[in-house]
Amino acid sequence: MEPSSLNFIFFNAFLANNFVLALFLGLCPFLGVSGKLDTAFPMGVATMFVMLISSVCAFFINQVLVAYGIEYLRLISYIAVIASAVQLVEMILKKFSPGLFRSLGIFLPLITTNCAILGLALFQTFKEYNFLQSMVYALGAGAGFTLAILLIAGLRERLDLASLPSITQGAALSLMIGGLLSLSFMGFAGLGS
Amino acid sequence: MLDDKITSHTFWEGVWENNPVFVMLLGMCPVLAVTNSTINALAMGLATLFVLLSSSLLVSLIRNWIPKQTRIAVFIIIIATFVTVVDYVIQAISLDLYNALGAFIQLIVANCMILGRAEAYASKVPPAKALINALGMGLGFTIALLCLGSVREILGSGTLLGFDLFGENYQQWIVMILPPGGFFVLGGWLLLFEWLRERKEQQEATSE
């Protein structure tokens, strides 16, 4: 496949260079909200939505910044856009699904400091993707994030029923599972670049 | 409650008791992503330390002028400014290092540890205290990065800071410098600390 083809970009972000398991982006929600499948899925979808919005915004902002030769403002303007996008999602959720809003709790505003989203905006700029490519890249990254968080949530739900040594209470076990998942995702490495 | 008095706890809290990585589990992304060698870990730790120090100082200085509703935005902008500075400084000092760390220098902005400190601490105490606490937290973060970086480099490449440790017959444990290794090593450290804590509690329980 051509490295610039849309299929390639999607699967590269979705599997081969999965944002969570290969690039270590977005680990806070990955460890924090992955206790139950019921909260993991909306978290994944909310993140994907914010990713799409910020990807579009970042694309146009970058055009403006390059046109005026003020690329050093890139970081500041990206993070401002992401913060507003998160605020938007928060307001929408609060209006239409208050229960979900409460169960996501502190992790919803923390999407702002989810490095996966800022990382996506920066990577698409470095890779010089055009508009359509950026959108597909955001879609793939969001889907990859959702997949990773669903996988670990499913595993952790099962582990609740297992008897475990007492020292594995807490994040250590999640990290070990993450390591195993990451190991298996390395099998996709040949698909990407 | 937070008062204005500076105690030794102000500094040591971040290094040990509330270590940002091992206890609070904040700022995990750079912790795992750049610790495949000791030198990268050190550079990342120092860069984060600088951003944390300067943003804590500035936030604490202007804490009475920041409107409550827009404080998060103000904090983020302050942090982003200092990260931009660090980004250009590292680029000027060593381009190799800059390429090795990649986008993760710019991603310091999204390190929840720094925003968390600004929100929970620096915006509530006078500059001197905020500075000392930030120094402790930053050092704790750097030490944690070094813990991971050195273990991963020794196991994965058989070197430490670039010096060969085991001679040429060492079979490199390659997976340790790849992404899964980051998860495994951090998980291992957490297990170790949990085990030590549990053992200490048991000893205290039996001695009573």
Side-chain angles (χ1 to χ4, degrees):
Chain A
M1 274 191 284
E2 284 285 305
S4 59
S5 81
L6 296 181
N7 268 334
F8 180 86
I9 292 172
F10 181 81
F11 282 105
N12 189 24
F14 182 49
L15 295 173
N17 280 316
N18 186 289
F19 266 47
V20 181
L21 296 170
L23 299 180
F24 297 119
L25 296 169
L27 286 173
C28 298
F30 179 67
L31 297 175
V33 208
S34 61
K36 281 203 207 87
L37 278 171
D38 299 344
T39 48
F41 185 65
M43 185 66 194
V45 175
T47 309
M48 187 149 91
F49 184 64
V50 176
M51 273 180 169
L52 275 174
I53 297 181
S54 40
S55 167
V56 174
C57 299
F59 179 78
F60 288 112
I61 289 175
N62 192 45
Q63 301 279 311
V64 175
L65 292 182
V66 169
Y68 285 96
I70 43 174
E71 286 95 339
Y72 56 87
L73 286 180
R74 190 182 283 149
L75 201 55
I76 296 180
S77 35
Y78 280 7
I79 196 85
V81 165
I82 292 169
S84 352
V86 171
Q87 204 91 67
L88 188 71
V89 173
E90 211 180 323
M91 284 181 333
I92 295 174
L93 264 186
K94 201 174 184 177
K95 177 95 171 75
F96 292 108
S97 173
L100 189 59
F101 178 76
R102 271 195 300 278
S103 66
L104 287 176
I106 180 67
F107 284 97
L108 198 57
L110 277 185
I111 297 182
T112 312
T113 50
N114 183 340
C115 25
I117 294 169
L118 184 63
L120 173 87
L122 290 173
F123 286 147
Q124 77 176 32
T125 314
F126 294 153
K127 295 186 179 189
E128 295 174 350
Y129 283 153
N130 63 28
F131 183 71
L132 202 59
Q133 286 170 329
S134 305
M135 291 290 289
V136 172
Y137 191 53
L139 208 62
F145 180 84
T146 314
L147 177 70
I149 202 169
L150 280 181
L151 280 175
I152 198 168
L155 286 167
R156 280 179 66 180
E157 266 190 358
R158 289 291 177 87
L159 279 172
D160 279 347
L161 304 171
S163 74
L164 295 164
S166 58
I167 56 166
T168 56
Q169 305 296 328
L173 189 66
S174 313
L175 282 166
M176 290 297 181
I177 302 173
L180 290 175
L181 281 178
S182 167
L183 206 55
S184 58
F185 266 66
M186 272 173 62
F188 294 118
L191 278 175
S193 63
Chain B
M1 277 305 289
L2 293 169
D3 53 24
D4 294 353
K5 233 172 67 195
I6 298 171
T7 58
S8 65
H9 180 76
T10 312
F11 177 74
W12 289 108
E13 179 198 15
V15 180
W16 185 249
E17 189 186 323
N18 273 328
N19 186 293
V21 177
F22 291 136
V23 182
M24 298 201 289
L25 295 172
L26 292 176
M28 307 292 278
C29 309
V31 171
L32 295 176
V34 301
T35 50
N36 49 12
S37 79
T38 317
I39 194 78
N40 288 357
L42 186 65
M44 190 63 189
L46 292 180
T48 312
L49 176 67
F50 169 78
V51 175
L52 185 61
L53 273 180
S54 26
S55 63
S56 288
L57 180 65
L58 195 58
V59 165
S60 175
L61 279 174
I62 60 171
R63 68 186 186 283
N64 294 328
W65 290 293
I66 302 177
K68 207 171 175 349
Q69 295 82 1
T70 57
R71 64 185 193 289
I72 300 284
V74 175
F75 296 159
I76 286 265
I77 301 269
I78 290 175
I79 296 169
T81 312
F82 286 114
V83 172
T84 311
V85 171
V86 170
D87 188 51
Y88 280 85
V89 167
I90 294 186
Q91 218 167 341
I93 295 175
S94 162
L95 202 57
D96 289 339
L97 189 64
Y98 182 78
N99 291 333
L101 294 177
F104 279 95
I105 301 174
Q106 304 201 359
L107 285 176
I108 296 178
V109 178
N111 187 328
C112 18
M113 191 248 307
I114 299 178
L115 185 67
R117 280 288 99 185
E119 160 78 6
Y121 205 90
S123 59
K124 292 177 183 151
V125 296
K129 190 173 183 182
L131 208 55
I132 291 174
N133 185 265
L135 192 65
M137 282 286 165
L139 274 182
F141 187 75
T142 311
I143 291 171
L145 281 175
L146 284 177
C147 284
L148 264 94
S150 52
V151 169
R152 285 179 72 185
E153 191 182 342
I154 292 172
L155 293 177
S157 343
T159 58
L160 186 62
L161 286 167
F163 295 110
D164 211 336
L165 287 182
F166 303 115
E168 58 189 61
N169 289 328
Y170 179 70
Q171 178 63 48
Q172 293 167 345
W173 195 358
I174 245 17
V175 84
M176 280 300 156
I177 48 173
L178 292 174
F183 284 108
F184 288 138
V185 174
L186 183 58
W189 277 107
L190 290 179
L191 283 180
L192 178 70
F193 285 130
E194 191 64 23
W195 178 68
L196 288 175
R197 194 181 63 83
E198 205 157 86
R199 210 178 60 157
K200 201 172 141 204
E201 272 175 9
Q202 275 169 0
Q203 275 172 355
E204 276 165 10
T206 50
S207 65
E208 272 167 11

